[in-house]
Amino acid sequence: MSEKASFSGATCGSWLAFSKSAAPIGICYGRVANNLPSPPSVIDLLKSNNIRYVRLFDADPTTLKSFSGTRINLVIGVPNEILPCLASNPTNASLDWLRSNIFAHVPANQVRYIRVGNEVFLKDQLFTPYVVPAILNLYQALQTLGLTDSIKLSSPQAASVVVNSYPTSSATFDPYIESAIIPLLRYLYECRSPFMVNVYRYFSYVNKGNRVSLDYALFRSDNAVRDGAMEYTNLFDASVDAFVYAMEKAGFPGIPVVVTETGWPTRGGEGASPENALAYNGNVVKRAVNEVGTRRRPRNGVEVYLFDLFDENKKGGEVYEKHFGIYGVDGVRAYNLSFN
């Protein structure tokens, strides 16, 4: 931890409502496209579908202003390239950044999380040294504003930061990133923030060939995968529990897991279809609404943000990466998914 700040459960605020109630289900509002509807139209779409939690990938002022006063809870992203500035300057710089980039456009009571970077440790390693220092400066800025109880800080990781995840109980963090992940976990543990992870089980299905069956990925397998006394009937639960086991082995039990991205494409690849997207996302929603946890944490529903609100026609990579949209740009559902 930083020498300039000491954190303990007494000073870092209380846990948000991670258990004992239906887990929040939200949606990611990606904007890597040139054909998206206007922000006011997006707000109308979200409200009409009872979507009350939204992840934004940056702090675009026009987008934030459109959410102001809507009572929609937001996850707001700090882009990776801003981390060096926030990490290297005094806390006042973070305070100024929060005020001018977030709170000037949307009230603090709509901000659930501030996401500090995204998938840095394995995919954007240039920024690794800046993640925790940026979090610490932002935390102190939130402390100055009296917001550390209501707004939590974390940094989403790619699912691949965990290795040896078969069987699930053998999972550990990649030793290559241990020097980076341990300080992050210490902050999350002491300051009562969740571990955030992006979990794409479709990628596991298409990249692992016959080792991951479509039924196991889509929550409809009749054959349980045994792991000691545990049995897993779906890949989602096994994936979330892999992070629980890895954090326990690292000495940080009890940190909630928030899945900040997950979804299934409707076309563009093997197994990509509206029917399979409905099967996957529908089960994720159903489990959260019904407070169904994982095998390791059966009484703790998993907070999840489905990817994506719309198809993003400017995304690179494989064709299917453009086709995760749950709604068309005309507001019509790509498939009959309910958030209730």
Side-chain angles (χ1 to χ4, degrees):
M1 271 292 175
S2 168
E3 294 180 358
K4 66 181 179 181
S6 175
F7 297 94
S8 69
T11 61
C12 282
S14 59
W15 291 102
L16 292 172
F18 290 109
S19 59
K20 310 288 186 187
S21 62
I25 280 286
I27 199 165
C28 298
Y29 179 15
R31 295 183 294 111
V32 187
N34 62 7
N35 62 344
L36 299 182
S38 66
S41 297
V42 171
I43 298 301
D44 289 342
L45 174 65
L46 295 169
K47 287 182 174 180
S48 66
N49 286 278
N50 197 34
I51 299 172
R52 298 184 295 112
Y53 298 87
V54 172
R55 178 184 175 184
L56 304 175
F57 288 89
D58 57 23
D60 174 69
T62 301
T63 304
L64 285 178
K65 287 176 183 177
S66 70
F67 280 94
S68 182
T70 62
R71 299 186 180 180
I72 294 173
N73 299 276
L74 300 175
V75 182
I76 300 174
V78 178
N80 294 354
E81 58 269 20
I82 297 177
L83 299 183
C85 177
L86 295 179
S88 304
N89 289 305
T91 302
N92 283 344
S94 293
L95 186 60
D96 291 343
W97 190 90
L98 289 173
R99 282 172 167 162
S100 60
N101 289 277
I102 296 180
F103 301 132
H105 310 303
V106 68
N109 62 8
Q110 282 185 241
V111 182
R112 182 168 175 82
Y113 303 118
I114 295 175
R115 184 270 296 163
V116 185
N118 187 53
E119 298 190 350
V120 170
F121 293 163
L122 283 182
K123 296 191 175 182
D124 217 348
Q125 296 173 11
L126 174 66
F127 299 105
T128 293
Y130 305 106
V131 171
V132 172
I135 287 176
L136 295 179
N137 281 338
L138 286 166
Y139 173 84
Q140 290 184 326
L142 289 175
Q143 195 171 45
T144 299
L145 297 170
L147 295 173
T148 52
D149 257 359
S150 59
I151 300 176
K152 298 299 181 179
L153 299 161
S154 191
S155 185
Q157 301 303 317
S160 51
V161 297
V162 158
V163 296
N164 303 321
S165 57
Y166 186 84
T168 301
S169 60
S170 68
T172 60
F173 287 107
D174 187 335
Y176 180 76
I177 63 164
E178 184 174 356
S179 62
I181 200 76
I182 294 301
L184 175 62
L185 292 173
R186 184 176 296 117
Y187 169 83
L188 300 179
Y189 183 79
E190 295 184 358
C191 287
R192 303 177 181 272
S193 290
F195 184 88
M196 293 180 167
V197 62
N198 300 332
V199 177
Y200 285 97
R201 298 306 73 184
Y202 178 75
F203 296 167
S204 299
Y205 166 66
V206 296
N207 292 331
K208 294 187 177 180
N210 294 330
R211 288 190 293 165
V212 175
S213 73
L214 184 60
D215 285 343
Y216 188 56
L218 294 178
F219 296 85
R220 61 191 188 198
S221 176
D222 293 327
N223 299 317
V225 175
R226 181 169 291 278
D227 181 5
M230 300 284 192
E231 288 188 344
Y232 289 94
T233 57
N234 68 83
L235 186 57
F236 180 84
D237 281 5
S239 301
V240 173
D241 276 358
F243 288 95
V244 175
Y245 279 112
M247 288 190 289
E248 290 173 352
K249 290 173 186 173
F252 301 99
I255 298 175
V257 175
V258 171
V259 177
T260 37
E261 292 179 40
T262 195
W264 199 277
T266 56
R267 60 192 177 99
E270 181 184 354
S273 70
E275 294 77 17
N276 288 344
L278 175 59
Y280 181 82
N281 286 333
N283 275 291
V284 170
V285 171
K286 185 184 303 182
R287 293 165 66 79
V289 169
N290 293 325
E291 305 170 37
V292 177
T294 63
R295 295 293 293 159
R296 187 67 174 165
R297 293 177 174 174
R299 292 179 298 277
N300 295 54
V302 181
E303 180 173 352
V304 173
Y305 293 80
L306 299 179
F307 188 89
D308 197 4
L309 186 56
F310 304 110
D311 282 355
E312 295 179 274
N313 63 7
K314 289 296 184 179
K315 291 205 78 168
E318 301 291 339
V319 174
Y320 58 71
E321 301 233 22
K322 304 175 189 288
H323 297 291
F324 277 81
I326 296 172
Y327 297 91
V329 294
D330 58 359
V332 176
R333 296 179 189 178
Y335 45 91
N336 193 28
L337 179 71
S338 171
F339 280 73
N340 299 317

